[in-house]
Amino acid sequence: MNKLKVVSLFSGYGTQELALKYIGVDYENVANCDNFKQANECYDALHTTTSGNLGDITKVNENTFPQCDLLTYSFPCQDISISGVQKGIKEGTRSGLLYDVERLLSVNRPKYLLMENVKNLVSKNHIENFNKHIYFLRGLGYSSYWRVLNGADFGCPQNRERVFMMSVLNDTHENVKTKMLNVDNYKKTRVPMKPFIEDEVNENLFIECDYTPHTPIKSSICQLVGRRNDVKYDQARRIYSIEGCSPCLTTSGSPQIMTENGRVRYITGREGYRFMGVKEDDIDKLLSTSLSNTAHVSLAGNSICVPVMEAIFSEFFAEYITENKNNLSNQFKEEIND
């Protein structure tokens, strides 16, 4: 079997590719597509591609688009997110870049598509436009099934609900649905931030502030233990115990945590990547780039929980995992014989 050829649109630092690597999929990283400088620097620290970075998606020629088997597209959420401006999926908006994905698909037909976006995509304000996209894919021959999945249910110490949709060309809706429902078999017991927290961090991450204590609700995923008194915006006031999950990481700033010694601080870039399910050797590569701690946390907040994609890819690409293991076994035997 040939390698799974992959192209990622809106690639960030390449969590999709990390998920494939972590589960042992035999894949060829054909190209990525992103025009955010900091994301590209981190992507290049982790990955190599055969065709390079395609850059601005609005300028990518659909007629010369590289052939691939899997296309991933986590298109911008700014106009969909509840914390955004709610312009919706429209021409001229950042979330409207979804139409450029459709333009590329109108000429190219990868076997598999993975879409990821914020939970608000399937709210009453945006579900109509999302359904139009699904109908568009159906017209091209794709069967699709989406689910809202939380990174906290797959080993990430973070309350991060996102919409994931797999679309498969010339397959039945029932087959795609079954595999997406089977993703539940990979769920794990939720874990708190505590095991992912660094012991020694830069002193400038600590916040000296007066705060009002809060008794956390035991059943809550995130354990709110206080609110700062020196700021007004409620989200910016919240302080969380490391005995619970982190709130959802975003591009707008770091969550505030209370350490075991009772001090309040922002999280580190390493912790942010850990919360996304990135492994330590890859985090080392990411932190070797020129980005500041704040930029790393923001970049992590703009990415996808790797373990969720590991579960999805394990269902859809099992044959590529088996093939890769067989190839490695044969390679090992050849080395022994030599």
Side-chain angles (χ1 to χ4, degrees):
M1 180 181 291
N2 295 325
K3 291 184 177 182
L4 182 75
K5 294 184 177 181
V6 181
V7 173
S8 59
L9 306 177
F10 316 105
S11 47
Y13 61 92
T15 48
Q16 301 91 329
E17 293 88 335
L18 290 180
L20 292 168
K21 181 178 76 169
Y22 291 170
I23 63 173
V25 169
D26 193 17
Y27 76 100
E28 176 187 344
N29 200 13
V30 177
N32 69 307
C33 183
D34 206 307
N35 61 355
F36 181 40
K37 183 179 178 181
Q38 291 182 330
N40 290 336
E41 181 181 351
C42 286
Y43 186 96
D44 292 341
L46 294 178
H47 312 286
T48 58
T49 64
T50 55
S51 298
N53 185 350
L54 303 179
D56 184 348
I57 191 172
T58 65
K59 299 177 181 178
V60 175
N61 189 328
E62 62 269 24
N63 295 308
T64 58
F65 190 76
Q67 188 275 328
C68 64
D69 304 304
L70 167 65
L71 180 70
T72 70
Y73 59 107
S74 180
F75 63 99
C77 67
Q78 287 89 339
D79 301 294
I80 303 169
S81 173
I82 56 174
S83 60
V85 291
Q86 295 288 303
K87 291 181 179 179
I89 303 173
K90 298 178 181 178
E91 294 283 358
T93 67
R94 294 192 66 180
S95 296
L97 292 175
L98 176 62
Y99 295 123
D100 280 288
V101 177
E102 294 186 351
R103 174 176 59 82
L104 297 175
L105 290 173
S106 66
V107 176
N108 304 274
R109 301 285 196 281
K111 174 70 174 177
Y112 303 97
L113 307 175
L114 171 70
M115 186 229 68
E116 179 269 355
N117 215 293
V118 294
K119 181 182 178 181
N120 206 42
L121 177 63
V122 295
S123 69
K124 64 179 182 180
N125 291 332
H126 304 292
I127 188 66
E128 182 179 354
N129 282 331
F130 182 43
N131 281 335
K132 288 180 180 178
H133 176 61
I134 296 174
Y135 296 150
F136 168 81
L137 295 177
R138 183 184 301 172
L140 298 180
Y142 288 96
S143 292
S144 305
Y145 194 80
W146 62 265
R147 297 188 64 189
V148 175
L149 299 171
N150 193 335
D153 293 320
F154 294 85
C156 291
Q158 179 188 176
N159 184 27
R160 191 179 188 88
E161 291 184 298
R162 290 294 183 267
V163 180
F164 291 85
M165 181 173 74
M166 279 296 295
S167 305
V168 184
L169 187 66
N170 299 327
D171 200 351
T172 67
H173 177 77
E174 282 304 312
N175 281 345
V176 179
K177 176 181 178 180
T178 296
K179 289 180 179 179
M180 284 297 283
L181 293 179
N182 284 345
V183 169
D184 283 347
N185 296 329
Y186 301 83
K187 287 185 175 181
K188 302 176 181 178
T189 302
R190 290 176 176 173
V191 292
M193 288 184 274
K194 187 174 180 179
F196 300 82
I197 296 299
E198 293 192 85
D199 293 327
E200 298 181 6
V201 303
N202 196 309
E203 188 64 24
N204 65 12
L205 292 177
F206 287 93
I207 308 164
E208 300 300 333
C209 63
D210 182 44
Y211 64 88
T212 301
H214 178 272
T215 302
I217 301 172
K218 290 184 179 181
S219 59
S220 295
I221 300 176
C222 305
Q223 297 288 292
L224 180 69
V225 292
R227 284 185 169 87
R228 290 174 59 176
N229 296 327
D230 58 330
V231 290
K232 293 183 179 180
Y233 181 53
D234 187 58
Q235 291 278 15
R237 296 182 63 203
R238 298 178 186 181
I239 302 168
Y240 294 93
S241 167
I242 59 175
E243 298 295 340
C245 285
S246 166
C248 183
L249 299 186
T250 69
T251 59
S252 60
S254 165
Q256 296 161 141
I257 60 173
M258 181 173 290
T259 59
E260 289 186 287
N261 60 9
R263 298 186 70 187
V264 178
R265 68 168 174 86
Y266 300 115
I267 67 171
T268 67
R270 182 175 295 278
E271 291 164 345
Y273 290 126
R274 285 175 177 174
F275 292 0
M276 300 305 301
V278 181
K279 294 186 177 181
E280 291 300 304
D281 57 340
D282 289 318
I283 295 177
D284 290 340
K285 294 174 184 176
L286 289 165
L287 297 182
S288 71
T289 61
S290 66
L291 276 67
S292 67
N293 185 79
T294 299
H296 278 299
V297 173
S298 176
L299 191 62
N302 197 33
S303 63
I304 311 172
C305 285
V306 177
V308 180
M309 291 185 292
E310 289 181 48
I312 294 172
F313 292 158
S314 293
E315 280 298 309
F316 285 88
F317 304 131
E319 67 271 27
Y320 289 96
I321 299 172
T322 302
E323 184 73 15
N324 192 27
K325 288 180 179 179
N326 290 338
N327 288 341
L328 292 173
S329 177
N330 291 334
Q331 181 182 345
F332 178 73
K333 290 176 181 178
E334 289 174 2
E335 291 174 354
I336 293 295
N337 292 332
D338 290 343

Short mmCIF file of all heavy atoms in Angstrom, two decimals, residues 25 33 35 37-38 40 49 53 72 74 91 94 109 139 145 150 221 242 249-250 254 279 282 327 337:
data_model
loop_
_atom_site.label_atom_id
_atom_site.label_comp_id
_atom_site.label_asym_id
_atom_site.label_seq_id
_atom_site.Cartn_x
_atom_site.Cartn_y
_atom_site.Cartn_z
N VAL A 25 0.89 6.17 11.63
CA VAL A 25 0.40 6.14 10.25
C VAL A 25 1.57 6.35 9.29
O VAL A 25 2.40 7.23 9.49
CB VAL A 25 -0.68 7.22 10.02
CG1 VAL A 25 -0.99 7.38 8.53
CG2 VAL A 25 -1.95 6.89 10.79
N CYS A 33 -0.44 24.74 4.40
CA CYS A 33 -0.94 26.00 3.85
C CYS A 33 -1.29 26.93 5.01
O CYS A 33 -2.29 26.72 5.70
CB CYS A 33 -2.16 25.75 2.97
SG CYS A 33 -2.83 27.23 2.17
N ASN A 35 -0.35 31.32 6.26
CA ASN A 35 0.44 32.52 6.02
C ASN A 35 0.74 33.29 7.30
O ASN A 35 1.10 34.48 7.25
CB ASN A 35 -0.24 33.43 4.98
CG ASN A 35 -1.62 33.92 5.42
OD1 ASN A 35 -2.11 33.51 6.47
ND2 ASN A 35 -2.24 34.78 4.62
N LYS A 37 3.21 33.93 10.13
CA LYS A 37 4.66 33.78 10.24
C LYS A 37 5.07 32.93 11.44
O LYS A 37 5.91 32.03 11.31
CB LYS A 37 5.33 35.15 10.32
CG LYS A 37 6.84 35.10 10.36
CD LYS A 37 7.44 36.50 10.40
CE LYS A 37 8.96 36.44 10.50
NZ LYS A 37 9.55 37.80 10.55
N GLN A 38 4.51 33.22 12.61
CA GLN A 38 4.92 32.48 13.81
C GLN A 38 4.51 31.02 13.74
O GLN A 38 5.27 30.14 14.15
CB GLN A 38 4.32 33.15 15.05
CG GLN A 38 4.91 34.52 15.36
CD GLN A 38 4.33 35.13 16.62
OE1 GLN A 38 3.18 34.89 16.98
NE2 GLN A 38 5.13 35.94 17.30
N ASN A 40 4.21 29.29 11.01
CA ASN A 40 5.07 28.65 10.03
C ASN A 40 6.46 28.35 10.59
O ASN A 40 7.06 27.32 10.26
CB ASN A 40 5.19 29.54 8.79
CG ASN A 40 3.90 29.59 7.99
OD1 ASN A 40 3.08 28.68 8.07
ND2 ASN A 40 3.70 30.66 7.23
N THR A 49 7.94 19.04 4.29
CA THR A 49 6.97 18.68 3.27
C THR A 49 7.68 18.52 1.92
O THR A 49 8.77 19.06 1.72
CB THR A 49 5.88 19.75 3.11
OG1 THR A 49 6.49 20.97 2.65
CG2 THR A 49 5.16 20.00 4.42
N ASN A 53 5.17 25.14 1.70
CA ASN A 53 4.03 25.86 2.22
C ASN A 53 3.33 26.57 1.06
O ASN A 53 3.95 27.36 0.34
CB ASN A 53 4.49 26.87 3.27
CG ASN A 53 3.34 27.59 3.95
OD1 ASN A 53 2.19 27.49 3.55
ND2 ASN A 53 3.66 28.33 5.01
N THR A 72 -6.90 18.27 5.45
CA THR A 72 -7.45 18.76 6.71
C THR A 72 -7.67 20.27 6.59
O THR A 72 -6.87 20.97 5.97
CB THR A 72 -6.52 18.47 7.90
OG1 THR A 72 -5.35 19.28 7.82
CG2 THR A 72 -6.13 17.00 7.93
N SER A 74 -8.95 23.31 9.22
CA SER A 74 -9.48 23.93 10.44
C SER A 74 -9.56 25.42 10.15
O SER A 74 -8.70 26.20 10.56
CB SER A 74 -8.56 23.63 11.63
OG SER A 74 -9.05 24.22 12.80
N GLU A 91 -18.61 35.63 2.54
CA GLU A 91 -17.52 36.12 1.70
C GLU A 91 -16.92 37.38 2.32
O GLU A 91 -17.64 38.28 2.77
CB GLU A 91 -18.04 36.43 0.29
CG GLU A 91 -18.52 35.22 -0.49
CD GLU A 91 -17.37 34.40 -1.05
OE1 GLU A 91 -16.20 34.79 -0.86
OE2 GLU A 91 -17.65 33.34 -1.66
N ARG A 94 -13.01 36.19 7.72
CA ARG A 94 -11.96 35.18 7.87
C ARG A 94 -12.55 33.77 7.86
O ARG A 94 -11.99 32.86 7.28
CB ARG A 94 -11.17 35.43 9.16
CG ARG A 94 -10.36 36.72 9.13
CD ARG A 94 -9.38 36.81 10.27
NE ARG A 94 -8.33 35.81 10.14
CZ ARG A 94 -7.33 35.65 11.01
NH1 ARG A 94 -7.26 36.43 12.08
NH2 ARG A 94 -6.43 34.72 10.84
N ARG A 109 -10.28 15.97 -5.49
CA ARG A 109 -11.12 15.07 -4.70
C ARG A 109 -10.26 14.16 -3.83
O ARG A 109 -10.09 12.97 -4.12
CB ARG A 109 -12.00 14.20 -5.60
CG ARG A 109 -12.95 14.93 -6.52
CD ARG A 109 -14.14 15.50 -5.76
NE ARG A 109 -15.19 15.85 -6.72
CZ ARG A 109 -15.17 16.97 -7.46
NH1 ARG A 109 -14.16 17.81 -7.34
NH2 ARG A 109 -16.14 17.21 -8.31
N GLY A 139 -22.66 16.78 -2.77
CA GLY A 139 -22.74 16.91 -4.21
C GLY A 139 -21.48 16.48 -4.93
O GLY A 139 -21.52 16.11 -6.12
N TYR A 145 -19.88 13.00 8.57
CA TYR A 145 -20.51 12.88 9.89
C TYR A 145 -19.70 13.71 10.87
O TYR A 145 -18.46 13.62 10.92
CB TYR A 145 -20.54 11.43 10.36
CG TYR A 145 -21.47 11.22 11.54
CD1 TYR A 145 -22.84 11.09 11.36
CD2 TYR A 145 -20.97 11.18 12.85
CE1 TYR A 145 -23.70 10.92 12.44
CE2 TYR A 145 -21.82 11.01 13.93
CZ TYR A 145 -23.18 10.89 13.72
OH TYR A 145 -24.03 10.73 14.79
N ASN A 150 -14.74 16.63 23.21
CA ASN A 150 -14.01 17.44 24.20
C ASN A 150 -12.64 16.83 24.44
O ASN A 150 -12.51 15.65 24.78
CB ASN A 150 -14.81 17.48 25.51
CG ASN A 150 -14.30 18.54 26.47
OD1 ASN A 150 -13.13 18.94 26.42
ND2 ASN A 150 -15.16 19.00 27.36
N ILE A 221 -15.76 20.69 35.42
CA ILE A 221 -14.51 20.23 34.79
C ILE A 221 -13.36 21.12 35.23
O ILE A 221 -12.27 20.65 35.57
CB ILE A 221 -14.64 20.25 33.26
CG1 ILE A 221 -15.76 19.33 32.79
CG2 ILE A 221 -13.33 19.84 32.60
CD1 ILE A 221 -16.02 19.37 31.30
N ILE A 242 -5.20 23.86 39.90
CA ILE A 242 -4.57 22.85 39.05
C ILE A 242 -5.11 21.46 39.38
O ILE A 242 -4.73 20.48 38.74
CB ILE A 242 -3.04 22.87 39.17
CG1 ILE A 242 -2.60 22.63 40.62
CG2 ILE A 242 -2.48 24.18 38.64
CD1 ILE A 242 -1.07 22.52 40.77
N LEU A 249 -8.00 26.87 26.07
CA LEU A 249 -6.96 27.80 25.65
C LEU A 249 -7.43 28.56 24.42
O LEU A 249 -8.08 28.00 23.54
CB LEU A 249 -5.67 27.06 25.33
CG LEU A 249 -5.00 26.26 26.45
CD1 LEU A 249 -3.65 25.72 25.98
CD2 LEU A 249 -4.82 27.08 27.71
N THR A 250 -7.09 29.84 24.34
CA THR A 250 -7.45 30.67 23.20
C THR A 250 -6.24 31.46 22.75
O THR A 250 -5.16 31.37 23.33
CB THR A 250 -8.58 31.65 23.57
OG1 THR A 250 -8.07 32.63 24.50
CG2 THR A 250 -9.76 30.93 24.21
N SER A 254 -3.39 33.81 28.36
CA SER A 254 -3.20 32.60 29.16
C SER A 254 -4.23 32.51 30.28
O SER A 254 -4.61 33.52 30.87
CB SER A 254 -1.80 32.61 29.77
OG SER A 254 -1.68 31.66 30.81
N LYS A 279 3.82 15.89 22.54
CA LYS A 279 4.83 15.16 23.30
C LYS A 279 6.08 16.01 23.55
O LYS A 279 6.36 16.96 22.82
CB LYS A 279 5.20 13.86 22.57
CG LYS A 279 4.03 12.88 22.51
CD LYS A 279 4.44 11.55 21.92
CE LYS A 279 3.27 10.55 21.93
NZ LYS A 279 3.64 9.23 21.37
N ASP A 282 8.73 16.99 20.88
CA ASP A 282 8.21 17.98 19.93
C ASP A 282 8.04 19.35 20.58
O ASP A 282 8.24 20.38 19.93
CB ASP A 282 6.88 17.50 19.34
CG ASP A 282 7.06 16.33 18.37
OD1 ASP A 282 8.02 16.38 17.57
OD2 ASP A 282 6.27 15.38 18.42
N ASN A 327 6.05 -2.61 7.64
CA ASN A 327 7.24 -2.09 6.98
C ASN A 327 8.41 -1.96 7.95
O ASN A 327 9.55 -2.30 7.63
CB ASN A 327 6.95 -0.73 6.35
CG ASN A 327 6.06 -0.84 5.12
OD1 ASN A 327 5.94 -1.92 4.53
ND2 ASN A 327 5.43 0.26 4.72
N ASN A 337 19.57 -9.32 9.22
CA ASN A 337 20.19 -10.21 8.26
C ASN A 337 21.48 -9.64 7.69
O ASN A 337 22.42 -10.37 7.36
CB ASN A 337 19.21 -10.53 7.13
CG ASN A 337 18.03 -11.37 7.61
OD1 ASN A 337 18.17 -12.11 8.59
ND2 ASN A 337 16.90 -11.25 6.95
#
